[in-house]
Amino acid sequence: MTHFLFSSRGHQIINALVHSDKVPRAFGSEKGPEHHRSYTVLNTMSRLAVVCGGSRGIGQAVSRLLGERGCRVAVVSRNQDTAQAAVAALDGADHKAFSCDVSKEHLVQETFETIQKTCGNISYLVNAAGINRWAAE
């Protein structure tokens, strides 16, 4: 059975679909999976998950996990080549790569319109992209 997991600490949300019996401790609880509340998510097959920041770090790990669980994954990254490399490493088929700087609202709007036109309706959204607005100043 597939679950959406929320950390036992109220302020942490785990943005991943995992099997409840295979929750790695790295997801935030030293006490193990028995301290997580879980909510069943039905029929992940052919569901589309968009992962912003999905080419590195936590976003890449979530993309990989979603692909393993049967979701189609749209990886969104600032760099198209990096997004494409992340998609190539995913299990399953029909994953797509998109380039978008999420700090630019008009680009986000255009990217999501493109995703919906080319991939269909979005079932899951994971925001793992970080923005440092002061880095460029």
Side-chain angles (χ1 to χ4, degrees):
M1 183 175 287
T2 306
H3 295 276
F4 232 161
L5 292 182
F6 295 86
S7 171
S8 59
R9 298 178 205 161
H11 66 281
Q12 292 180 326
I13 296 177
I14 301 168
N15 293 306
L17 290 168
V18 295
H19 289 293
S20 60
D21 61 341
K22 299 187 190 265
V23 178
R25 289 181 186 256
F27 278 114
S29 175
E30 306 78 36
K31 298 176 184 176
E34 64 278 3
H35 292 278
H36 292 278
R37 294 178 294 150
S38 60
Y39 300 90
T40 303
V41 177
L42 301 174
N43 192 14
T44 58
M45 298 302 286
S46 78
R47 299 276 182 152
L48 176 63
V50 176
V51 183
C52 297
S55 65
R56 308 185 334 192
I58 292 170
Q60 185 177 28
V62 171
S63 295
R64 187 175 330 118
L65 194 57
L66 289 166
E68 289 171 3
R69 300 299 184 258
C71 287
R72 294 178 301 129
V73 180
V75 173
V76 179
S77 176
R78 282 181 295 178
N79 183 297
Q80 180 68 30
D81 293 335
T82 306
Q84 193 61 47
V87 164
L90 295 177
D91 287 344
D94 204 24
H95 306 301
K96 304 283 185 203
F98 296 91
S99 175
C100 177
D101 181 348
V102 296
S103 69
K104 309 239 184 310
E105 186 176 343
H106 70 282
L107 294 178
V108 173
Q109 184 68 34
E110 290 172 11
T111 301
F112 275 82
E113 288 172 4
T114 302
I115 291 170
Q116 187 144 22
K117 286 178 187 172
T118 60
C119 301
N121 290 330
I122 298 166
S123 301
Y124 308 109
L125 173 63
V126 179
N127 292 309
I131 301 171
N132 186 348
R133 295 190 185 275
W134 298 279
E137 294 178 3

